[in-house]
Amino acid sequence: MKRLLTALKRCAAVGAAALAIASLQPVSAANAAPAPVVGGTRAAQGEFPFMVRLSMGCGGALYTQQIVLTAAHCVGSTGRNTSITATAGVADLQSTSGRVQVRSTYVYRAPGYNGDGKDWALIKLASPINLPTLKIATTTQYNTGTFTVAGWGAATEGGSQQRYLLKANVPFVSDATCRSYSGYSGLIPGEEICAGYTAGGVDTCQGDSGGPMFRRDSANAWIQVGIVSWGIGCARPNAPGVYTEVSTFASAIASAASSL
């Protein structure tokens, strides 16, 4: 549990205060970090149809039309759970056109999860959502290059929920470089992957936990390579975002999903 003392898990608390959900900023064509202000560009309606907003203040993606892949730290223990509402089909959370909301029936949290690594979970829904799903990487082939992140999140560290789905690109950061930054020595190679700019300015943030980090595969289709997990603050210099390395857990995720 060492990293929980210094690292900021990117979930949002649900209470009287507004939910905090991540927001992101686009990158320049030269692959250099933009001005260090956490912001973002709006995703078009239907651009990322697999994106899911969860009522506890996290994100997720449709693994199947009835199962959401999210972060372990967003959910409780494995078992029956009807308390979560998944919202999908909209980029604007206030829009009712095309919006689908479905309750959960069961949560499966990664076996052995204790706050360090293994940060993935599945949520089974009461009924299917008729939207495209996001396939996950099964090898490390796509664990490099530039990734896309998206969420309804905080425009500043500790900020409040955004109405619109925002998107940005972040570059891969090697394990060695990531672990060299202050607060990141506990990174677990093979279970976690880093992405972000040395100068900061672009990042996921509170409330984006559980959301996907994805890129194009060899067939130009979206493929998920990461799950938003933790980071030191949001968009700070020398403090990249840390994501669950999906390919490491692909077989376990598939096995668990088949049993739900």
Side-chain angles (χ1 to χ4, degrees):
M1 301 292 285
K2 56 186 179 300
R3 287 186 285 106
L4 293 181
L5 300 177
T6 56
L8 197 55
K9 289 290 185 181
R10 298 189 164 178
C11 56
V14 178
L19 294 173
I21 315 225
S23 99
L24 315 162
Q25 182 168 331
V27 297
S28 70
N31 201 38
V37 176
V38 177
T41 57
R42 289 187 191 177
Q45 173 64 26
E47 185 173 1
F48 307 120
F50 45 77
M51 291 293 300
V52 175
R53 171 82 173 95
L54 299 171
S55 57
M56 84 289 279
C58 283
L62 289 174
Y63 176 74
T64 72
Q65 291 187 327
Q66 201 168 349
I67 296 174
V68 175
L69 177 60
T70 187
H73 75 264
C74 287
V75 302
S77 58
T78 296
R80 178 174 169 78
N81 186 322
T82 59
S83 67
I84 301 167
T85 299
T87 300
V90 289
D92 176 359
L93 291 177
Q94 294 185 19
S95 173
T96 57
S97 178
R99 186 171 67 189
V100 180
Q101 293 186 304
V102 182
R103 301 284 285 190
S104 62
T105 61
Y106 195 88
V107 163
Y108 182 93
R109 189 169 65 180
Y113 173 74
N114 66 357
D116 283 332
K118 300 178 179 63
D119 196 7
W120 64 270
L122 298 173
I123 299 172
K124 185 174 184 180
L125 305 177
S127 59
I129 294 176
N130 187 26
L131 288 169
T133 59
L134 178 61
K135 66 180 178 179
I136 65 172
T138 58
T139 73
T140 59
Q141 177 183 359
Y142 299 110
N143 290 3
T144 188
T146 299
F147 308 113
T148 298
V149 284
W152 287 270
T156 58
E157 187 174 317
S160 60
Q161 171 181 336
Q162 300 297 297
R163 171 177 173 177
Y164 299 99
L165 179 65
L166 303 177
K167 62 179 180 178
N169 294 330
V170 286
F172 169 76
V173 176
S174 70
D175 289 345
T177 298
C178 195
R179 294 182 76 184
S180 73
Y181 295 133
S182 177
Y184 289 79
S185 61
L187 179 81
I188 304 173
E191 291 193 13
E192 296 174 324
I193 182 172
C194 298
Y197 292 93
T198 303
V202 181
D203 200 4
T204 48
C205 200
Q206 285 73 55
D208 254 354
S209 282
M213 179 174 75
F214 47 100
R215 54 160 288 176
R216 296 290 187 177
D217 66 10
S218 58
N220 203 38
W222 290 121
I223 189 167
Q224 183 172 357
V225 297
I227 300 169
V228 179
S229 184
W230 63 277
I232 306 298
C234 302
R236 299 180 188 179
N238 302 316
V242 181
Y243 302 80
T244 303
E245 193 169 312
V246 169
S247 60
T248 298
F249 304 104
S251 60
I253 291 169
S255 178
S258 68
S259 70
L260 295 182

